[in-house]
Each structure stands twice: as C-alpha cells, then as structure tokens.
Amino acid sequence: MRRALGMGGRLGSGIAARLPFGRVEGLLLAVALIWGVSYSVVKVAVAEVSVAQLLLLRFGLTFLLLLPALGVLVRQWRAAAAGGALLLGVNLLAIFACESWGVAQTSAANAAFLVSLCVAFTPLCEWWLLGERPGRHVLLAALVSVLGALLLAFAHGDGLRLPGIGDALMVLAACLRALMVCLTRRHGDRHGWPALTMTAVQMGVMAAGSATLMAGQFGTDWPALPVSRPFWAALAFLVLLCTLFAFFAQNYAASRTSASRVALLTGSEPLWGALVAVLWLGEPLSAQGWLGGALIVAAAWWVSRPGARRG
C-alpha cells in the first residue's frame, strides 16, 4: 500500500511538473482577474464617495481585519525588516495615489492599459535591483505584452492624441508597480516575514496615508458614510478580494517566483477588465482590441511554462 501511494505521489508530481500553471501562477492570474473586475466596481463606489474616502474605508477596514497577523512582529521584530515593510507601504500608497488621480484625468480604459506597461519595466528593474538578468524569452514576452496593451489602449475609437497629465501619472504608477514587485521580492529574501504580516503592515501605512489625504481634502469636517447597498457590496469586494486576498497572494507569490513572471501574469489585468466591460457594461471592443488581449494572454502563458526561467 505504501509503495502504491509512493508511486501515485510520484506520478502526481510528474504530472504537476508538466502542467503550464502551478499554484503560484494560478494565484497571480486570479489576482489579475479580480483587479480587472475592480475597475467596474470602483465606478460604483466613487459615484457616492470621494477617492480619498474610498481609499480610507478600503484600506482601513482591511487593516483592522489583518490586525491579528501583526502578532508575528512581537516574535520576529527586526528594525531593518520593519523599515523595509514601511517603505513598501509608502510605495504602495504612491501607486494608488498616482492611479487615483490619473484615472480622474484620463479614460478608465487608458488607465488600465497604461498601468500594464509595468511588465516592460519590471525586467529592467529586476536586473537593476536584484542583479538577475532576465532571459531573452522574458524580454520578448514583455515586449509582446506591451504591444498588446498598446493595441488595446487605442481600440476604443478615441483616435490618436497627445498624452496628458493623467496618462503620465499612469505611466509613473506602472514604474512604481515594477519597483514594488522587485522590492517585495528582495524584502522576502532578506527577512522572511509571512506574506499576511507584510500585507497587514502595508495596509496600515495605506490607511494612515489615506487618512492624511482625507484631512487635507476635508479638514475636520469629514463626510458621512453612504448607506446604499450597492456601495457596501462594492466596498466588500474591494476589501475582501481586491485588497485582502490580492495583496496577500501577490506578496506570497513575489517571494516564490521571479519578479518578471509576477508582472507578466498580473499584466493580464487589462484583458479581464476589457472582458468585464464588454460582458457587464456592454462596451464595444474592436478586433484590434481582442488581438491586443490575445497577445497579453500569450505572453503570460509563455513566461509561465515549465522551464521558462531558464530560457
């Protein structure tokens, strides 16, 4: 019986090794799907509250849910690790600030697609910060993914136009996302904090930063909380899936695979956003747009295949 179980275990391991997607890749694609849906969900929420109030509610509630995860710090407190975690939280706050103000000054479609340019920046950032020169296949997949994002970005009938401040902010957010992936990987390698604890610290920094934004916008006269069910349903989705699950999954995956693969797999986010917009909101998408989405999916598959890191 034990021998049979051992043979079954080896057979299962062999099959798993040949599968193009493992647990880490599956988590990252789930994050991309959830974040793709989030663009439509955020539209429901910001119709009732300001961006600063939404961020405070989203990250403040997430931080409260994650408070038990901070107990690890009592046993594993290290000043260098805490400083690194705070730096990651500040970088995350900068990402959301750029994205929030960027979306306000450009189209939601352009915002989603421009952020996906982080797949092009991450291999260079990984090379610079981690000293890991990406393989040729990773650089090629990044270029294909960027091409797909560009095709999607100009597939909405808006025509050619000069980029504005909103577009520039989204490109900056893409750069910061690439930096975030690499810094998370380096922090995990050096300090080994649990992913849930890392997420809790980041959410605490985000909540404090959002409260500062609220104070700057409203002073001491903060607006009342909305009472509608659609808003609280949207907030529950943003807190439980887009924030609690997604950031935990990204922190978990970032320390278990290359930064380039993290960026490329989560870079399929614009495709999911386009699918949700077409199927739920009824927005049209041209053949050019579908081609761009197909290129992003192809790049994500290519970089996640077995042996891809050695290419």
Side-chain angles (χ1 to χ4, degrees), residues 39 108-117 149-150 152-154 156 270-271 274 285:
Y39 289 100
N110 268 14
F113 301 141
L114 288 173
V115 162
S116 70
L117 292 176
L150 291 176
L152 277 166
F154 293 103
H156 294 269
L271 173 63
L285 189 61

Side-chain angles (χ1 to χ4, degrees), residues 245-273:
F245 168 76
F247 283 107
F248 163 76
Q250 190 177 44
N251 284 333
Y252 174 87
S255 61
R256 289 165 174 80
T257 188
S258 72
S260 296
R261 293 182 71 170
V262 172
L264 280 162
L265 288 167
T266 56
S268 61
E269 173 187 332
L271 173 63
W272 305 121

